[in-house]
Amino acid sequence: MRTIRREEEATGGHIPVVVLTADIMRHAQADMLAAGCDGYLKNPVQRRTLAEEIRRVVG
């Protein structure tokens, strides 16, 4: 994640990142968002939920 965000600083662009994880720890979402992720989903994920999150992040 840090590498992606460093490259963005160099190019001025933005790469949307949605994390899909099986991590069920309560702080995992906050940790991922603090690391620079744009979105976070826990497995198992419904296809519709994934599509909604992608639309939200990409705009």
Side-chain angles (χ1 to χ4, degrees):
M1 188 78 243
R2 290 183 194 126
T3 302
I4 292 170
R5 297 304 179 221
R6 272 195 303 267
E7 286 183 23
E8 289 177 342
E9 289 176 13
T11 65
H14 180 72
I15 300 169
V17 177
V18 175
V19 174
L20 179 60
T21 181
D23 191 344
I24 58 171
M25 300 193 65
R26 290 185 181 152
H27 60 82
Q29 182 176 11
D31 291 347
M32 292 294 138
L33 296 175
C37 294
D38 297 294
Y40 175 91
L41 295 168
K42 289 189 287 187
N43 259 337
V45 64
Q46 298 292 322
R47 191 177 292 184
R48 182 180 192 171
T49 304
L50 176 60
E52 289 169 356
E53 185 67 359
I54 291 170
R55 274 193 294 274
R56 184 191 70 76
V57 168
V58 175

